[in-house]
Amino acid sequence: MDLNLLPLLLAVAEEQNFRAAADRLGVTRSAVSQGIRRLEDALGIQVVMRTTRSVRLTEAGARLVESLRAPMAAVQDALEANENVPSGRLRLAVTSIAEEFLSGPLLARFAEAHPKVTVDVTVIDDALDIVAGGYDAGVRLGEVIEQDMIAVPVGGPQREVAAATPAYIARYGAPNHPKDLLDHRCVGWRPAPDTAPWRWEFEENGKPFDVMVDPQVTTNDLRLMLRVALADGGITFAPWDCMREHFDSGALVPLLTGYLPPFSGFYLYFPQRQNMAPKLRALINHIRQWRFVD
């Protein structure tokens, strides 16, 4: 049986008129009449008594309508709740260097504002197909996001920076040019075990170039990079935001700042969707408001 006929029966029962039911549902009077007939044929019973002047339910029709009211109302409530209130599990794949997104306050305030949304964050730096992985969205640098994705800025432009402790600089000196890094102990980053360490990118006289340092310590964990550098282990290289608190405290000193141009920052990205889930739309709105407040 076509379950779409049940709301039609309820409309007829409440309006007691085929034309009024048709107007309410946005269909023709003929469609209502034919729908009721199809329902009766499927059930094998008459549910509506028709005359040229009136429409009323049969006893069997009245029993059916009474039994349908509660479950149909529950279905309607569920649809309205799903439409209006963000809820469910929101799965995010976030690069480890998206400091502002991962620092805590942004997600904490989002969770507080949307208690029915469960936020599940996977911190991952590997190239990832978020659709195939079952994620709702991801956060990465804008320059590596596929062009067929929709991207919403998280924070502003970024700048990577080399840094070391005052004790390291006192012992080994500070590099004057990025190429001097080849003579220093470095703490580098790699996205995966089978990939080369990340090249450190600079700019001189408007021309970009990179230095392929040979790190003594290499890891895919940004926090470990910082811990080793903070323990006087060498010069490391990471986004400014990731080291801001250590610069403010004096624990780390920024190096080679004249060779470090800004670049496009981090973005929340997701596939284009005609009907976006309320939970994802809520996160997008939260990020936009967060940027304005910040």
Side-chain angles (χ1 to χ4, degrees):
M1 186 179 67
D2 184 356
L3 297 180
N4 291 318
L5 300 177
L6 300 179
L8 188 150
L9 174 62
L10 291 178
V12 169
E14 293 172 3
E15 299 293 344
Q16 297 185 357
N17 182 282
F18 278 2
R19 184 170 298 281
D23 292 342
R24 171 174 160 180
L25 298 173
V27 298
T28 65
R29 182 186 183 284
S30 176
V32 172
S33 178
Q34 292 175 15
I36 292 296
R37 186 173 293 110
R38 287 169 53 205
L39 178 61
E40 290 177 330
D41 290 343
L43 294 173
I45 57 173
Q46 185 179 13
V47 296
V48 173
M49 292 289 293
R50 312 163 182 82
T51 70
T52 57
R53 293 181 298 276
S54 65
V55 174
R56 66 179 179 85
L57 296 176
T58 64
E59 184 178 353
R63 287 198 303 268
L64 178 59
V65 167
E66 186 61 29
S67 64
L68 287 174
R69 289 189 190 278
M72 292 298 288
V75 169
Q76 185 63 34
D77 290 344
L79 291 174
E80 291 176 355
N82 186 61
E83 178 182 359
N84 298 322
V85 180
S87 62
R89 185 185 182 200
L90 183 63
R91 297 190 67 212
L92 306 173
V94 183
T95 177
S96 65
I97 57 175
E99 178 65 21
E100 183 170 359
F101 192 88
L102 294 173
S103 62
L106 186 151
L107 287 175
R109 299 293 79 77
F110 175 76
E112 181 180 13
H114 302 284
K116 293 187 177 181
V117 177
T118 301
V119 183
D120 186 338
V121 178
T122 297
V123 179
I124 183 170
D125 292 308
D126 294 343
L128 178 68
D129 183 339
I130 59 172
V131 175
Y135 293 94
D136 296 287
V139 177
R140 295 180 70 83
L141 288 171
E143 61 193 41
V144 298
I145 296 174
E146 295 84 352
Q147 293 186 353
D148 61 348
M149 293 286 173
I150 306 298
V152 176
V154 180
Q158 295 288 317
R159 188 165 65 134
E160 286 194 295
V161 59
T165 61
Y168 176 89
I169 296 171
R171 183 173 181 182
Y172 297 100
N176 294 314
H177 188 277
K179 292 182 179 179
D180 296 339
L181 292 167
L182 299 176
D183 299 322
H184 280 268
R185 293 163 54 199
C186 294
V187 182
W189 181 84
R190 54 162 173 72
D194 57 349
T195 58
W198 200 258
R199 290 174 177 264
W200 294 11
E201 298 177 345
F202 302 93
E203 184 177 285
E204 186 173 21
N205 299 323
K207 296 181 179 180
F209 67 98
D210 59 59
V211 176
M212 189 174 180
V213 300
D214 184 18
Q216 185 175 8
V217 178
T218 308
T219 178
N220 67 335
D221 186 343
L222 176 66
R223 303 307 189 269
L224 179 57
M225 286 173 53
L226 293 179
R227 291 189 189 104
V228 173
L230 288 165
D232 309 323
I235 300 173
T236 195
F237 195 74
W240 187 286
D241 284 354
C242 297
M243 296 193 274
R244 184 189 304 274
E245 65 175 297
H246 303 301
F247 292 154
D248 292 343
S249 69
L252 290 176
V253 176
L255 304 170
L256 304 170
T257 54
Y259 299 92
L260 299 166
F263 59 91
S264 177
F266 297 96
Y267 289 77
L268 176 82
Y269 69 99
F270 47 91
Q272 187 168 3
R273 292 170 180 157
Q274 185 174 2
N275 298 307
M276 185 182 296
K279 58 187 178 181
L280 179 55
R281 187 177 300 280
L283 178 61
I284 294 169
N285 292 336
H286 178 76
I287 288 173
R288 286 173 173 158
Q289 294 170 4
W290 184 269
R291 290 185 64 225
F292 179 78
V293 171
D294 189 55

